[in-house]
């Protein structure tokens, strides 16, 4: 089916179009007095990351940020979603690094000078090694250290940022990293998982409390959602698909909006939860100003009687896939935007804070043609527009990512950018998707 052409005028006035990045994935952690993080050690351990690549240089955004902000502006974008690295701002997890905080100060001023709204994220995964040594998210004390970090950076930037998200994708922080072992710290331990699933939310709540105390407006959190379907009509497959929906899609939003966790998930995690976790739920469930939704794909699930709880396995679907192997399923974005507003947040503003695809893009004669990404982008924008028509209060859409960058355990191999980056020369080349988006967002029609 052809993708309908869309422009900014198909969306409500004031709708924010942006692109997103994250500190460790683009900045270069070797620069500016940044301290070591658990990603530096995770990537240095054989077998964790493709070619053991790390974020030491990444896209060298630490030095090339003015040109990168120019690219955002030239694409007619309204906002930029970026993150402020904890290990850059507090290299030992406690003391502020003035060089680090000055960098973000310049960056935010640079956005404002170009008419870009700064959408800040506080935790996009670079836990300072000094805190990782003490147990990271398995340790309750880390939540208090995170509130300290949140306060320190907000005292400096808070007067100029458009919004602050406490945490990016708590499911990845907790489950992917402590149960599946795919991201740092690379654990496969149900007790550490249960603790991380709760502590990352407690850290969010303590940071919200601290920032509200400073009078900071526009606080939110960014959750990721994965469309879950049973592979067959078999009731056992339906039950595990629902359980997966609980682990991935309901755990965090239920805690934030209802101060509860899904009971089916507690059946497995309950015995491993921190003592008296119930007492933290009012802090976790404080009122927010907006919700961020990251959406990429769907999964089909089947019951696996041979595996311990949660006793499920993925079953490959038949839809076209991205370079990550993720099925392309724009209907899933419409599903979550309408479901979240209907069942959880009502009229609270929702932003699509990430949506995008990896593709094996090739630079040929100085250009990159990524028509497949153009289709992906416009079909997900169309799904967003339909969700708005169906009542979801969606206020913005950020493409992931501005630049090809460090895709965590996949190293530099998977390219998500609107802009191609040559990782030898660091030359940036806008792809055809970048130009298509810039045309769609022109303000002069
Ligand atoms: O690159 C990541 C990003 O850091 C968090 N959301 C998903 C992206 C693609 O995997």
């Amino acid at each position: 089916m052809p993708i309908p052409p869309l422009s900014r005028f198909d969306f409500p006035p004031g709708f924010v179009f942006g692109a997103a990045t994250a500190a460790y994935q683009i900045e270069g952690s070797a620069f500016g007095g940044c301290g070591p993080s658990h990603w530096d050690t995770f990537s240095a351990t054989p077998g964790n990351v493709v070619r053991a690549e790390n974020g030491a240089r990444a896209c060298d955004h630490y030095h090339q940020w003015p040109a990168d902000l120019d690219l955002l502006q030239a694409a007619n974008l309204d906002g930029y979603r970026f993150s402020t690295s904890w290990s850059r701002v507090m290299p030992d997890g406690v003391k502020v690094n003035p060089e680090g905080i000055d960098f973000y100060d310049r960056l935010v001023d640079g956005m404002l000078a170009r008419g870009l709204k700064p959408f800040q994220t506080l935790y996009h995964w670079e836990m300072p090694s000094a805190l990782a040594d003490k147990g990271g998210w398995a340790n309750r004390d880390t939540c208090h250290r995170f509130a300290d970090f949140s306060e320190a950076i907000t005292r400096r930037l808070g007067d100029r940022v458009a919004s602050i998200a406490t945490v990016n994708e708590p499911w990845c922080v907790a489950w992917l990293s402590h149960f599946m072992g795919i991201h740092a710290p690379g654990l496969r331990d149900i007790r550490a998982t249960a603790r991380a699933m709760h502590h990352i939310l407690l850290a969010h709540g303590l940071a919200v409390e601290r920032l509200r105390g400073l009078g900071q407006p526009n606080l939110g959190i960014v959750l990721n959602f994965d469309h879950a379907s049973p592979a067959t009509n078999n009731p056992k497959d339906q039950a595990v698909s629902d359980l997966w929906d609980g682990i991935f899609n309901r755990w965090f939003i239920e805690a934030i909006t209802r101060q509860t966790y899904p009971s089916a998930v507690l059946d497995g995690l309950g015995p491993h939860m921190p003592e008296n976790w119930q007492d933290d739920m009012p802090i976790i469930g404080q009122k927010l100003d907006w919700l961020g939704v990251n959406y990429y794909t769907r999964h089909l699930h089947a019951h696996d009687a041979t595996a311990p709880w949660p006793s499920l396995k993925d079953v490959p679907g038949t839809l076209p896939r991205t370079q990550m192997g993720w099925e392309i399923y724009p209907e899933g974005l419409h599903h979550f935007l309408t479901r979240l507003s209907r069942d959880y947040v009502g009229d609270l503003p929702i932003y699509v804070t990430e949506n995008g695809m990896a593709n094996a893009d090739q630079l040929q004669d100085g250009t990159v043609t990524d028509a497949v990404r153009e289709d992906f982008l416009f079909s997900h924008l169309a799904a967003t527009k339909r969700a708005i028509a169906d009542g979801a209060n969606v206020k913005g859409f950020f493409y992931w990512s501005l630049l090809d960058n460090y895709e965590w355990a996949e190293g530099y191999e998977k390219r998500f950018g609107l802009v191609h980056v040559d990782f030898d020369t660091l030359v940036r080349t806008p792809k055809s998707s970048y130009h298509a988006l810039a045309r769609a967002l022109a303000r002069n029609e």
Side-chain angles (χ1 to χ4, degrees), residues 410-442:
E410 303 292 334
Y412 292 95
E413 206 166 79
K414 303 289 194 278
R415 294 181 175 273
F416 276 90
L418 294 168
V419 175
H420 179 275
V421 177
D422 178 321
F423 290 108
D424 294 323
T425 62
L426 296 175
V427 168
R428 276 85 160 136
T429 308
K431 303 177 189 177
S432 65
S433 57
Y434 171 97
H435 295 297
L437 185 60
R439 282 194 301 275
L441 299 186

PDB file of all heavy atoms in Angstrom, residues 410-442:
ATOM      1  N   GLU A 410      25.105  -3.846  19.663  1.00  0.00           N
ATOM      2  CA  GLU A 410      25.318  -4.055  18.227  1.00  0.00           C
ATOM      3  C   GLU A 410      26.453  -3.199  17.688  1.00  0.00           C
ATOM      4  O   GLU A 410      26.699  -3.178  16.476  1.00  0.00           O
ATOM      5  CB  GLU A 410      24.024  -3.714  17.453  1.00  0.00           C
ATOM      6  CG  GLU A 410      22.801  -4.489  17.881  1.00  0.00           C
ATOM      7  CD  GLU A 410      22.901  -5.969  17.528  1.00  0.00           C
ATOM      8  OE1 GLU A 410      23.620  -6.290  16.571  1.00  0.00           O
ATOM      9  OE2 GLU A 410      22.279  -6.789  18.220  1.00  0.00           O
ATOM     10  N   GLY A 411      27.137  -2.452  18.557  1.00  0.00           N
ATOM     11  CA  GLY A 411      28.231  -1.589  18.111  1.00  0.00           C
ATOM     12  C   GLY A 411      27.764  -0.590  17.062  1.00  0.00           C
ATOM     13  O   GLY A 411      26.650  -0.066  17.139  1.00  0.00           O
ATOM     14  N   TYR A 412      28.642  -0.345  16.066  1.00  0.00           N
ATOM     15  CA  TYR A 412      28.329   0.686  15.056  1.00  0.00           C
ATOM     16  C   TYR A 412      27.699   0.115  13.795  1.00  0.00           C
ATOM     17  O   TYR A 412      27.536   0.813  12.799  1.00  0.00           O
ATOM     18  CB  TYR A 412      29.605   1.472  14.717  1.00  0.00           C
ATOM     19  CG  TYR A 412      30.047   2.313  15.894  1.00  0.00           C
ATOM     20  CD1 TYR A 412      31.001   1.835  16.795  1.00  0.00           C
ATOM     21  CD2 TYR A 412      29.462   3.552  16.144  1.00  0.00           C
ATOM     22  CE1 TYR A 412      31.370   2.577  17.903  1.00  0.00           C
ATOM     23  CE2 TYR A 412      29.826   4.309  17.241  1.00  0.00           C
ATOM     24  CZ  TYR A 412      30.781   3.818  18.123  1.00  0.00           C
ATOM     25  OH  TYR A 412      31.132   4.558  19.219  1.00  0.00           O
ATOM     26  N   GLU A 413      27.330  -1.165  13.858  1.00  0.00           N
ATOM     27  CA  GLU A 413      26.885  -1.835  12.643  1.00  0.00           C
ATOM     28  C   GLU A 413      25.466  -1.449  12.212  1.00  0.00           C
ATOM     29  O   GLU A 413      25.158  -1.426  11.030  1.00  0.00           O
ATOM     30  CB  GLU A 413      26.936  -3.338  12.894  1.00  0.00           C
ATOM     31  CG  GLU A 413      27.126  -4.133  11.642  1.00  0.00           C
ATOM     32  CD  GLU A 413      27.517  -5.552  12.009  1.00  0.00           C
ATOM     33  OE1 GLU A 413      26.618  -6.327  12.365  1.00  0.00           O
ATOM     34  OE2 GLU A 413      28.716  -5.841  11.974  1.00  0.00           O
ATOM     35  N   LYS A 414      24.630  -1.166  13.157  1.00  0.00           N
ATOM     36  CA  LYS A 414      23.216  -0.927  12.834  1.00  0.00           C
ATOM     37  C   LYS A 414      22.964   0.576  12.720  1.00  0.00           C
ATOM     38  O   LYS A 414      23.178   1.323  13.667  1.00  0.00           O
ATOM     39  CB  LYS A 414      22.319  -1.519  13.939  1.00  0.00           C
ATOM     40  CG  LYS A 414      22.548  -3.012  14.168  1.00  0.00           C
ATOM     41  CD  LYS A 414      22.014  -3.836  13.014  1.00  0.00           C
ATOM     42  CE  LYS A 414      21.917  -5.312  13.346  1.00  0.00           C
ATOM     43  NZ  LYS A 414      23.187  -6.041  13.193  1.00  0.00           N
ATOM     44  N   ARG A 415      22.498   0.985  11.532  1.00  0.00           N
ATOM     45  CA  ARG A 415      22.395   2.421  11.243  1.00  0.00           C
ATOM     46  C   ARG A 415      20.942   2.897  11.335  1.00  0.00           C
ATOM     47  O   ARG A 415      20.111   2.528  10.524  1.00  0.00           O
ATOM     48  CB  ARG A 415      22.959   2.701   9.842  1.00  0.00           C
ATOM     49  CG  ARG A 415      24.450   2.434   9.767  1.00  0.00           C
ATOM     50  CD  ARG A 415      25.008   2.738   8.381  1.00  0.00           C
ATOM     51  NE  ARG A 415      26.460   2.578   8.380  1.00  0.00           N
ATOM     52  CZ  ARG A 415      27.321   3.539   8.707  1.00  0.00           C
ATOM     53  NH1 ARG A 415      26.867   4.741   9.028  1.00  0.00           N
ATOM     54  NH2 ARG A 415      28.618   3.309   8.700  1.00  0.00           N
ATOM     55  N   PHE A 416      20.664   3.727  12.341  1.00  0.00           N
ATOM     56  CA  PHE A 416      19.317   4.259  12.573  1.00  0.00           C
ATOM     57  C   PHE A 416      19.163   5.701  12.080  1.00  0.00           C
ATOM     58  O   PHE A 416      18.083   6.262  12.167  1.00  0.00           O
ATOM     59  CB  PHE A 416      19.009   4.276  14.075  1.00  0.00           C
ATOM     60  CG  PHE A 416      18.489   2.980  14.645  1.00  0.00           C
ATOM     61  CD1 PHE A 416      19.362   2.018  15.143  1.00  0.00           C
ATOM     62  CD2 PHE A 416      17.129   2.717  14.713  1.00  0.00           C
ATOM     63  CE1 PHE A 416      18.885   0.826  15.690  1.00  0.00           C
ATOM     64  CE2 PHE A 416      16.644   1.534  15.253  1.00  0.00           C
ATOM     65  CZ  PHE A 416      17.518   0.591  15.742  1.00  0.00           C
ATOM     66  N   GLY A 417      20.257   6.350  11.623  1.00  0.00           N
ATOM     67  CA  GLY A 417      20.239   7.800  11.455  1.00  0.00           C
ATOM     68  C   GLY A 417      19.480   8.313  10.247  1.00  0.00           C
ATOM     69  O   GLY A 417      19.336   7.634   9.236  1.00  0.00           O
ATOM     70  N   LEU A 418      19.014   9.566  10.386  1.00  0.00           N
ATOM     71  CA  LEU A 418      18.582  10.345   9.218  1.00  0.00           C
ATOM     72  C   LEU A 418      19.822  10.844   8.488  1.00  0.00           C
ATOM     73  O   LEU A 418      19.771  11.229   7.331  1.00  0.00           O
ATOM     74  CB  LEU A 418      17.764  11.561   9.657  1.00  0.00           C
ATOM     75  CG  LEU A 418      16.408  11.307  10.332  1.00  0.00           C
ATOM     76  CD1 LEU A 418      15.872  12.594  10.952  1.00  0.00           C
ATOM     77  CD2 LEU A 418      15.415  10.728   9.338  1.00  0.00           C
ATOM     78  N   VAL A 419      20.943  10.839   9.242  1.00  0.00           N
ATOM     79  CA  VAL A 419      22.211  11.330   8.707  1.00  0.00           C
ATOM     80  C   VAL A 419      23.227  10.195   8.819  1.00  0.00           C
ATOM     81  O   VAL A 419      23.421   9.626   9.902  1.00  0.00           O
ATOM     82  CB  VAL A 419      22.682  12.566   9.519  1.00  0.00           C
ATOM     83  CG1 VAL A 419      24.059  13.025   9.062  1.00  0.00           C
ATOM     84  CG2 VAL A 419      21.671  13.700   9.404  1.00  0.00           C
ATOM     85  N   HIS A 420      23.854   9.879   7.699  1.00  0.00           N
ATOM     86  CA  HIS A 420      24.881   8.837   7.670  1.00  0.00           C
ATOM     87  C   HIS A 420      26.154   9.373   8.322  1.00  0.00           C
ATOM     88  O   HIS A 420      26.545  10.524   8.102  1.00  0.00           O
ATOM     89  CB  HIS A 420      25.160   8.466   6.209  1.00  0.00           C
ATOM     90  CG  HIS A 420      26.213   7.434   6.010  1.00  0.00           C
ATOM     91  ND1 HIS A 420      27.569   7.740   5.945  1.00  0.00           N
ATOM     92  CD2 HIS A 420      26.125   6.096   5.875  1.00  0.00           C
ATOM     93  CE1 HIS A 420      28.244   6.631   5.759  1.00  0.00           C
ATOM     94  NE2 HIS A 420      27.402   5.606   5.717  1.00  0.00           N
ATOM     95  N   VAL A 421      26.810   8.542   9.126  1.00  0.00           N
ATOM     96  CA  VAL A 421      28.102   8.918   9.699  1.00  0.00           C
ATOM     97  C   VAL A 421      29.137   7.891   9.242  1.00  0.00           C
ATOM     98  O   VAL A 421      28.934   6.687   9.379  1.00  0.00           O
ATOM     99  CB  VAL A 421      28.044   8.958  11.244  1.00  0.00           C
ATOM    100  CG1 VAL A 421      29.422   9.279  11.832  1.00  0.00           C
ATOM    101  CG2 VAL A 421      27.016   9.990  11.715  1.00  0.00           C
ATOM    102  N   ASP A 422      30.215   8.392   8.656  1.00  0.00           N
ATOM    103  CA  ASP A 422      31.351   7.535   8.319  1.00  0.00           C
ATOM    104  C   ASP A 422      32.195   7.441   9.591  1.00  0.00           C
ATOM    105  O   ASP A 422      32.746   8.450  10.039  1.00  0.00           O
ATOM    106  CB  ASP A 422      32.142   8.184   7.175  1.00  0.00           C
ATOM    107  CG  ASP A 422      33.378   7.374   6.796  1.00  0.00           C
ATOM    108  OD1 ASP A 422      34.047   6.839   7.720  1.00  0.00           O
ATOM    109  OD2 ASP A 422      33.679   7.294   5.597  1.00  0.00           O
ATOM    110  N   PHE A 423      32.267   6.264  10.184  1.00  0.00           N
ATOM    111  CA  PHE A 423      32.905   6.166  11.502  1.00  0.00           C
ATOM    112  C   PHE A 423      34.435   6.196  11.437  1.00  0.00           C
ATOM    113  O   PHE A 423      35.088   6.213  12.473  1.00  0.00           O
ATOM    114  CB  PHE A 423      32.371   4.948  12.269  1.00  0.00           C
ATOM    115  CG  PHE A 423      30.933   5.141  12.684  1.00  0.00           C
ATOM    116  CD1 PHE A 423      29.914   4.430  12.062  1.00  0.00           C
ATOM    117  CD2 PHE A 423      30.597   6.082  13.641  1.00  0.00           C
ATOM    118  CE1 PHE A 423      28.584   4.643  12.410  1.00  0.00           C
ATOM    119  CE2 PHE A 423      29.273   6.309  13.991  1.00  0.00           C
ATOM    120  CZ  PHE A 423      28.262   5.579  13.375  1.00  0.00           C
ATOM    121  N   ASP A 424      35.014   6.245  10.210  1.00  0.00           N
ATOM    122  CA  ASP A 424      36.464   6.483  10.103  1.00  0.00           C
ATOM    123  C   ASP A 424      36.751   7.975  10.039  1.00  0.00           C
ATOM    124  O   ASP A 424      37.568   8.502  10.776  1.00  0.00           O
ATOM    125  CB  ASP A 424      37.023   5.788   8.849  1.00  0.00           C
ATOM    126  CG  ASP A 424      36.901   4.277   8.985  1.00  0.00           C
ATOM    127  OD1 ASP A 424      37.088   3.787  10.119  1.00  0.00           O
ATOM    128  OD2 ASP A 424      36.580   3.613   7.982  1.00  0.00           O
ATOM    129  N   THR A 425      36.027   8.662   9.140  1.00  0.00           N
ATOM    130  CA  THR A 425      36.310  10.101   8.941  1.00  0.00           C
ATOM    131  C   THR A 425      35.393  10.992   9.778  1.00  0.00           C
ATOM    132  O   THR A 425      35.648  12.180   9.908  1.00  0.00           O
ATOM    133  CB  THR A 425      36.089  10.468   7.465  1.00  0.00           C
ATOM    134  OG1 THR A 425      34.689  10.229   7.162  1.00  0.00           O
ATOM    135  CG2 THR A 425      36.956   9.607   6.543  1.00  0.00           C
ATOM    136  N   LEU A 426      34.305  10.433  10.266  1.00  0.00           N
ATOM    137  CA  LEU A 426      33.254  11.156  11.003  1.00  0.00           C
ATOM    138  C   LEU A 426      32.489  12.147  10.141  1.00  0.00           C
ATOM    139  O   LEU A 426      31.761  13.002  10.649  1.00  0.00           O
ATOM    140  CB  LEU A 426      33.823  11.848  12.256  1.00  0.00           C
ATOM    141  CG  LEU A 426      34.367  10.874  13.297  1.00  0.00           C
ATOM    142  CD1 LEU A 426      35.013  11.619  14.456  1.00  0.00           C
ATOM    143  CD2 LEU A 426      33.268   9.957  13.823  1.00  0.00           C
ATOM    144  N   VAL A 427      32.628  12.033   8.827  1.00  0.00           N
ATOM    145  CA  VAL A 427      31.864  12.895   7.918  1.00  0.00           C
ATOM    146  C   VAL A 427      30.388  12.531   8.005  1.00  0.00           C
ATOM    147  O   VAL A 427      30.018  11.355   8.015  1.00  0.00           O
ATOM    148  CB  VAL A 427      32.384  12.750   6.469  1.00  0.00           C
ATOM    149  CG1 VAL A 427      31.414  13.394   5.474  1.00  0.00           C
ATOM    150  CG2 VAL A 427      33.768  13.365   6.350  1.00  0.00           C
ATOM    151  N   ARG A 428      29.556  13.539   8.094  1.00  0.00           N
ATOM    152  CA  ARG A 428      28.095  13.387   8.132  1.00  0.00           C
ATOM    153  C   ARG A 428      27.523  13.614   6.730  1.00  0.00           C
ATOM    154  O   ARG A 428      27.853  14.627   6.094  1.00  0.00           O
ATOM    155  CB  ARG A 428      27.463  14.439   9.045  1.00  0.00           C
ATOM    156  CG  ARG A 428      27.426  14.107  10.529  1.00  0.00           C
ATOM    157  CD  ARG A 428      28.689  14.458  11.238  1.00  0.00           C
ATOM    158  NE  ARG A 428      28.475  14.581  12.679  1.00  0.00           N
ATOM    159  CZ  ARG A 428      29.255  14.092  13.609  1.00  0.00           C
ATOM    160  NH1 ARG A 428      30.356  13.409  13.286  1.00  0.00           N
ATOM    161  NH2 ARG A 428      28.996  14.287  14.888  1.00  0.00           N
ATOM    162  N   THR A 429      26.606  12.723   6.303  1.00  0.00           N
ATOM    163  CA  THR A 429      25.913  12.888   5.018  1.00  0.00           C
ATOM    164  C   THR A 429      24.416  12.671   5.220  1.00  0.00           C
ATOM    165  O   THR A 429      23.990  11.552   5.535  1.00  0.00           O
ATOM    166  CB  THR A 429      26.420  11.848   3.980  1.00  0.00           C
ATOM    167  OG1 THR A 429      27.841  11.922   3.915  1.00  0.00           O
ATOM    168  CG2 THR A 429      25.812  12.086   2.613  1.00  0.00           C
ATOM    169  N   PRO A 430      23.621  13.729   5.078  1.00  0.00           N
ATOM    170  CA  PRO A 430      22.168  13.544   5.212  1.00  0.00           C
ATOM    171  C   PRO A 430      21.649  12.544   4.171  1.00  0.00           C
ATOM    172  O   PRO A 430      22.032  12.598   3.005  1.00  0.00           O
ATOM    173  CB  PRO A 430      21.605  14.949   4.960  1.00  0.00           C
ATOM    174  CG  PRO A 430      22.733  15.867   5.323  1.00  0.00           C
ATOM    175  CD  PRO A 430      23.996  15.152   4.912  1.00  0.00           C
ATOM    176  N   LYS A 431      20.789  11.627   4.626  1.00  0.00           N
ATOM    177  CA  LYS A 431      20.248  10.588   3.736  1.00  0.00           C
ATOM    178  C   LYS A 431      18.988  11.121   3.043  1.00  0.00           C
ATOM    179  O   LYS A 431      18.465  12.190   3.414  1.00  0.00           O
ATOM    180  CB  LYS A 431      19.896   9.342   4.569  1.00  0.00           C
ATOM    181  CG  LYS A 431      21.070   8.791   5.368  1.00  0.00           C
ATOM    182  CD  LYS A 431      20.668   7.600   6.247  1.00  0.00           C
ATOM    183  CE  LYS A 431      21.791   7.209   7.184  1.00  0.00           C
ATOM    184  NZ  LYS A 431      21.432   6.113   8.114  1.00  0.00           N
ATOM    185  N   SER A 432      18.451  10.337   2.097  1.00  0.00           N
ATOM    186  CA  SER A 432      17.236  10.822   1.400  1.00  0.00           C
ATOM    187  C   SER A 432      16.083  10.980   2.392  1.00  0.00           C
ATOM    188  O   SER A 432      15.221  11.839   2.222  1.00  0.00           O
ATOM    189  CB  SER A 432      16.860   9.904   0.239  1.00  0.00           C
ATOM    190  OG  SER A 432      16.490   8.628   0.695  1.00  0.00           O
ATOM    191  N   SER A 433      16.061  10.166   3.460  1.00  0.00           N
ATOM    192  CA  SER A 433      14.982  10.292   4.463  1.00  0.00           C
ATOM    193  C   SER A 433      15.061  11.648   5.166  1.00  0.00           C
ATOM    194  O   SER A 433      14.039  12.254   5.497  1.00  0.00           O
ATOM    195  CB  SER A 433      15.068   9.165   5.497  1.00  0.00           C
ATOM    196  OG  SER A 433      16.330   9.167   6.129  1.00  0.00           O
ATOM    197  N   TYR A 434      16.279  12.122   5.415  1.00  0.00           N
ATOM    198  CA  TYR A 434      16.466  13.439   6.032  1.00  0.00           C
ATOM    199  C   TYR A 434      15.846  14.513   5.124  1.00  0.00           C
ATOM    200  O   TYR A 434      15.094  15.382   5.580  1.00  0.00           O
ATOM    201  CB  TYR A 434      17.968  13.692   6.219  1.00  0.00           C
ATOM    202  CG  TYR A 434      18.349  15.092   6.644  1.00  0.00           C
ATOM    203  CD1 TYR A 434      18.592  15.397   7.986  1.00  0.00           C
ATOM    204  CD2 TYR A 434      18.503  16.111   5.699  1.00  0.00           C
ATOM    205  CE1 TYR A 434      18.957  16.687   8.368  1.00  0.00           C
ATOM    206  CE2 TYR A 434      18.862  17.391   6.068  1.00  0.00           C
ATOM    207  CZ  TYR A 434      19.090  17.675   7.407  1.00  0.00           C
ATOM    208  OH  TYR A 434      19.452  18.940   7.789  1.00  0.00           O
ATOM    209  N   HIS A 435      16.142  14.419   3.826  1.00  0.00           N
ATOM    210  CA  HIS A 435      15.635  15.438   2.903  1.00  0.00           C
ATOM    211  C   HIS A 435      14.105  15.348   2.790  1.00  0.00           C
ATOM    212  O   HIS A 435      13.425  16.374   2.718  1.00  0.00           O
ATOM    213  CB  HIS A 435      16.294  15.283   1.534  1.00  0.00           C
ATOM    214  CG  HIS A 435      17.783  15.538   1.575  1.00  0.00           C
ATOM    215  ND1 HIS A 435      18.316  16.757   1.920  1.00  0.00           N
ATOM    216  CD2 HIS A 435      18.842  14.714   1.358  1.00  0.00           C
ATOM    217  CE1 HIS A 435      19.650  16.696   1.903  1.00  0.00           C
ATOM    218  NE2 HIS A 435      19.992  15.456   1.568  1.00  0.00           N
ATOM    219  N   ALA A 436      13.581  14.118   2.798  1.00  0.00           N
ATOM    220  CA  ALA A 436      12.121  13.952   2.699  1.00  0.00           C
ATOM    221  C   ALA A 436      11.442  14.557   3.929  1.00  0.00           C
ATOM    222  O   ALA A 436      10.409  15.231   3.822  1.00  0.00           O
ATOM    223  CB  ALA A 436      11.763  12.475   2.573  1.00  0.00           C
ATOM    224  N   LEU A 437      12.042  14.329   5.096  1.00  0.00           N
ATOM    225  CA  LEU A 437      11.461  14.886   6.324  1.00  0.00           C
ATOM    226  C   LEU A 437      11.545  16.411   6.302  1.00  0.00           C
ATOM    227  O   LEU A 437      10.579  17.111   6.642  1.00  0.00           O
ATOM    228  CB  LEU A 437      12.183  14.308   7.556  1.00  0.00           C
ATOM    229  CG  LEU A 437      11.610  14.719   8.908  1.00  0.00           C
ATOM    230  CD1 LEU A 437      10.149  14.277   9.059  1.00  0.00           C
ATOM    231  CD2 LEU A 437      12.439  14.119  10.065  1.00  0.00           C
ATOM    232  N   ALA A 438      12.691  16.943   5.869  1.00  0.00           N
ATOM    233  CA  ALA A 438      12.843  18.406   5.813  1.00  0.00           C
ATOM    234  C   ALA A 438      11.780  19.020   4.897  1.00  0.00           C
ATOM    235  O   ALA A 438      11.189  20.054   5.222  1.00  0.00           O
ATOM    236  CB  ALA A 438      14.247  18.761   5.318  1.00  0.00           C
ATOM    237  N   ARG A 439      11.502  18.347   3.790  1.00  0.00           N
ATOM    238  CA  ARG A 439      10.463  18.868   2.870  1.00  0.00           C
ATOM    239  C   ARG A 439       9.097  18.827   3.553  1.00  0.00           C
ATOM    240  O   ARG A 439       8.320  19.775   3.483  1.00  0.00           O
ATOM    241  CB  ARG A 439      10.423  18.032   1.586  1.00  0.00           C
ATOM    242  CG  ARG A 439      11.536  18.365   0.601  1.00  0.00           C
ATOM    243  CD  ARG A 439      11.257  17.755  -0.771  1.00  0.00           C
ATOM    244  NE  ARG A 439      11.122  16.305  -0.752  1.00  0.00           N
ATOM    245  CZ  ARG A 439      12.143  15.434  -0.820  1.00  0.00           C
ATOM    246  NH1 ARG A 439      13.384  15.886  -0.900  1.00  0.00           N
ATOM    247  NH2 ARG A 439      11.936  14.126  -0.793  1.00  0.00           N
ATOM    248  N   ALA A 440       8.820  17.723   4.224  1.00  0.00           N
ATOM    249  CA  ALA A 440       7.508  17.565   4.873  1.00  0.00           C
ATOM    250  C   ALA A 440       7.308  18.596   5.986  1.00  0.00           C
ATOM    251  O   ALA A 440       6.177  18.955   6.304  1.00  0.00           O
ATOM    252  CB  ALA A 440       7.372  16.153   5.436  1.00  0.00           C
ATOM    253  N   LEU A 441       8.404  19.039   6.575  1.00  0.00           N
ATOM    254  CA  LEU A 441       8.289  19.939   7.723  1.00  0.00           C
ATOM    255  C   LEU A 441       8.493  21.405   7.354  1.00  0.00           C
ATOM    256  O   LEU A 441       8.529  22.269   8.247  1.00  0.00           O
ATOM    257  CB  LEU A 441       9.295  19.529   8.810  1.00  0.00           C
ATOM    258  CG  LEU A 441       9.102  18.111   9.372  1.00  0.00           C
ATOM    259  CD1 LEU A 441      10.057  17.872  10.539  1.00  0.00           C
ATOM    260  CD2 LEU A 441       7.659  17.882   9.818  1.00  0.00           C
ATOM    261  N   ALA A 442       8.612  21.693   6.077  1.00  0.00           N
ATOM    262  CA  ALA A 442       8.784  23.102   5.652  1.00  0.00           C
ATOM    263  C   ALA A 442       7.618  23.917   6.232  1.00  0.00           C
ATOM    264  O   ALA A 442       6.481  23.448   6.279  1.00  0.00           O
ATOM    265  CB  ALA A 442       8.820  23.193   4.143  1.00  0.00           C
TER     266      ALA A 442
END
